[in-house]
Amino acid sequence: MNDTVRSATDARTAPVAVWQLLDKLRGQDLIDWRVGPVPDRRSIAERGLDIGFPFGWYALEPSDFVGTGQVKPLRYFAKDLAMWRGEDDVVRVTDAWCKHLGAHMGHGGKVHGNLLECPFHAWRYDGEEGVVKDIPYARTIPPQVKRKCLRTWHVTEANGWIWVWYHPRDIAPLWDVVVHAEVGDQTWTPFETHEWIVYGSIQNMAENGVDVAHFQYIHGTAGLPQAELRWGEWGRGADVRAKMGTPNGMVDGLISYDTMGPGQSWIRFSGIAETLLVASLAPVEEDVLRVRYCYTQPRAQAEGPGAGVAKALIRDVNKQLDQDKVIWDRMLYERNPVICDSDGPIVQFRKWYSRYYATADQGEVPDLQPA
Ligand code: FES
Ligand SMILES: [Fe+2]
């Protein structure tokens, strides 16, 4: 086989096959492709993605998404939600549909003090208790909505994002969001954010890091450098040491990857260019994942002579996600994969990751049926 034919058909010869799909995309076209639709997607069931969402904290929107006194509609976890920020500056999230006649409170709802007022007939909901506190035109509040009638979600703000705790049985958070000192530090740059819609599951995306063999075939690396894996109770990580080529010669690079739950992950790069990548991975549907990569770097580096290398690092990490997206957008969740000897710890990963799916002993299903 001559080299020209081989490069078109054999992923072991650069350019890797999926790159050909991305080659023509530049500038705005690439940005649009990252969030654009994927035609002829197969159904959630056909792809085996009907396994629910893993529980944990998810960064749904940046903190400036909702200002004091504002209400916004949201769609995450295959649910319609309403988010508002009360006069006390605290963000609250509830299910979107009003218990009265079913209006969507995220569209046209108002903030009244710290309560959410439905746009249809002004019933006012408390975001902590999930009860109706006030109906301005009624003499009494129906008893069915004086007790908890609306799902309220646990919310916190950290690292410049609004985090919501998801658990299919609505049990309270089992860990805290990890706070990064660099975010908001004046010596670090504000986030540079890049966005993708991945038409797949968060678990398939997470598995990518331990899928050793794909680095060569999808990303075109010479092979995965040695990684030291860490497996904690709710988080896991890896330290990857590699020699990296720079305009100033080879340097020892360190890539330190960490997660806390399925929805929080971050990567610290050092050696080549100091960078913190804070990832927001938020499931919208079982086959739709919203991904935002937020980068921050020391100002001295980003605005100094190392700026070119620092920018190149961001471009390179984004490119890797583009390459993986081509696969993720159409792959299924293979429950019984056939694994070979140099595949990396895929089986160990799956066994470990299964802790994020609710089991029968993780609390009762709360009674939130309409009264
Ligand atoms: S539908 Fe919400 S107050 Fe009537
Ligand atoms: Fe990858």
Side-chain angles (χ1 to χ4, degrees):
M1 195 186 285
N2 72 41
D3 277 344
T4 328
V5 175
R6 189 184 157 100
S7 68
T9 56
D10 187 335
R12 284 170 291 188
T13 309
V16 174
V18 298
W19 296 359
Q20 294 163 8
L21 294 169
L22 302 169
D23 255 1
K24 294 171 217 84
L25 296 170
R26 297 265 184 282
Q28 192 60 40
D29 286 346
L30 180 60
I31 292 167
D32 293 345
W33 172 82
R34 286 174 176 167
V35 296
V38 169
D40 300 327
R41 243 156 77 219
R42 300 299 173 241
S43 71
I44 291 170
E46 194 173 349
R47 294 170 70 198
L49 299 178
D50 49 345
I51 52 174
F53 305 109
F55 60 77
W57 285 106
Y58 290 94
L60 298 191
E61 300 295 344
S63 280
D64 61 9
F65 174 76
V66 64
T68 304
Q70 273 189 327
V71 184
K72 290 283 179 79
L74 289 179
R75 175 82 181 172
Y76 284 105
F77 316 117
K79 287 183 189 303
D80 273 51
L81 307 170
M83 174 183 276
W84 74 97
R85 195 185 285 276
E87 281 168 9
D88 59 1
D89 265 341
V90 175
V91 178
R92 296 160 175 92
V93 175
T94 62
D95 281 2
W97 316 107
C98 179
K99 290 294 172 200
H100 179 215
L101 292 179
H104 190 308
M105 296 188 282
H107 291 276
K110 280 194 228 146
V111 174
H112 188 91
N114 297 322
L115 305 178
L116 171 62
E117 181 180 293
C118 178
F120 207 1
H121 314 91
W123 289 28
R124 291 173 185 154
Y125 289 87
D126 173 283
E128 282 81 24
E129 297 169 58
V131 303
V132 173
K133 287 282 194 200
D134 189 18
I135 303 176
Y137 65 90
R139 278 190 303 279
T140 55
I141 298 173
Q144 302 95 314
V145 294
K146 269 186 164 166
R147 53 180 151 84
K148 189 169 177 86
C149 61
L150 190 69
R151 180 167 179 174
T152 55
W153 296 69
H154 295 272
V155 182
T156 188
E157 284 188 82
N159 306 325
W161 282 75
I162 299 165
W163 298 77
V164 170
W165 170 260
Y166 170 83
H167 191 289
R169 295 198 178 88
D170 201 19
I171 71 162
L174 296 167
W175 62 84
D176 293 327
V177 171
V178 176
V179 174
H180 308 304
E182 294 91 335
V183 181
D185 181 324
Q186 290 311 303
T187 64
W188 285 68
T189 55
F191 279 148
E192 175 181 327
T193 302
H194 299 264
E195 176 165 4
W196 292 259
I197 299 289
V198 169
Y199 294 93
S201 73
I202 194 166
Q203 179 175 338
N204 276 344
M205 189 170 167
E207 194 172 275
N208 205 254
V210 299
D211 175 352
V212 173
H214 96 286
F215 283 92
Q216 185 179 348
Y217 297 101
I218 289 295
H219 304 307
T221 55
L224 186 69
Q226 260 333 92
E228 261 172 60
L229 300 178
R230 298 184 292 274
W231 305 87
E233 187 190 6
W234 294 117
R236 64 192 172 88
D239 284 339
V240 182
R241 278 164 222 283
K243 292 252 180 243
M244 295 174 178
T246 75
N248 308 323
M250 296 300 275
V251 297
D252 286 313
L254 173 64
I255 301 169
S256 226
Y257 167 78
D258 276 286
T259 71
M260 182 52 86
Q264 184 173 24
S265 65
W266 65 98
I267 308 178
R268 285 197 170 83
F269 299 84
S270 45
I272 179 163
E274 208 72 26
T275 303
L276 170 65
L277 160 55
V278 178
S280 149
L281 314 171
V284 178
E285 311 288 345
E286 282 176 306
D287 63 345
V288 180
L289 183 66
R290 196 162 175 205
V291 178
R292 279 159 288 183
Y293 273 7
C294 305
Y295 297 90
T296 176
Q297 297 175 324
R299 277 185 197 274
Q301 169 195 283
E303 293 157 10
V309 177
K311 279 228 163 306
L313 184 140
I314 293 175
R315 259 201 316 276
D316 199 61
V317 176
N318 287 345
K319 190 171 81 184
Q320 293 210 10
L321 206 147
D322 292 336
Q323 294 162 348
D324 282 320
K325 174 176 154 67
V326 176
I327 302 295
W328 292 333
D329 280 348
R330 292 180 180 80
M331 77 184 280
L332 48 74
Y333 176 57
E334 177 53 67
R335 278 163 216 230
N336 299 300
V338 181
I339 301 291
C340 72
D341 53 18
S342 297
D343 269 332
I346 291 177
V347 173
Q348 187 188 358
F349 165 84
R350 288 194 176 189
K351 197 160 173 281
W352 186 90
Y353 198 89
S354 66
R355 72 194 54 213
Y356 297 137
Y357 292 98
T359 53
D361 58 356
Q362 282 168 329
E364 294 299 313
V365 182
D367 181 16
L368 286 180
Q369 300 312 309

